[in-house]
Structures are given as C-alpha cells and as structure tokens.
Amino acid sequence: MPLGKAILKIAERKQLTKYKVAKISGIPQSTFLDIVNEKNLNPTIETISKIANGLGVTVSELLMETETTN
C-alpha cells in the first residue's frame, strides 16, 4: 500500500481529518496533501517522522502499515 493510503487509513482509525493531521504534524497542508494524493512519492524522513508523530504512531508503525495492508 502506498504511504499516502497508509497515512489515511491510520488517520481514519484515529478519527482524524487530513487537515487535523497536517496541522498536528506541523507541515504545510499542501505538502501533506501531495503525499496522501501520491503526488510526492518520495517525502523526506523528517516529513514522514512529523506525520507519524501527528498520527501518534512511530515511523516504524507507519511504514509497517504500508507493507502489511492491501
């Protein structure tokens, strides 16, 4: 599963909107939307880390979600 879809799946489980995740993560909403809409397929580890923190998960948990979910 692409990173963007994994982010959205975790956000849905935690009942967080895209806007809320971007805000909590401290990244521009446009950057966040580029990632979840698969326009940016290669975000920096710093950005991934900020998103994981915003979702309340570790980077490892976020990346495992991309590998284990269809």
Side-chain angles (χ1 to χ4, degrees), residues 7-10 14 16 18-20 22-23 26-27 37 44 54 57 60-62 67:
I7 291 167
L8 293 177
K9 186 166 185 116
I10 294 169
K14 295 184 175 254
L16 296 169
K18 292 180 203 176
Y19 173 77
K20 186 75 169 173
K23 185 173 175 115
I27 62 173
N37 292 326
T44 65
V57 298
S60 295
E61 289 171 314
L62 176 56
E67 295 176 3

Side-chain angles (χ1 to χ4, degrees), residues 19-33:
Y19 173 77
K20 186 75 169 173
V21 175
K23 185 173 175 115
I24 293 170
S25 300
I27 62 173
Q29 189 172 7
S30 60
T31 300
F32 181 79
L33 291 176

Side-chain angles (χ1 to χ4, degrees), residues 24-59:
I24 293 170
S25 300
I27 62 173
Q29 189 172 7
S30 60
T31 300
F32 181 79
L33 291 176
D34 283 349
I35 294 167
V36 298
N37 292 326
E38 299 178 30
K39 291 181 181 176
N40 178 352
L41 298 175
N42 202 14
T44 65
I45 190 64
E46 181 181 354
T47 300
I48 294 170
S49 179
K50 287 180 179 182
I51 293 171
N53 288 336
L55 289 168
V57 298
T58 66
V59 171

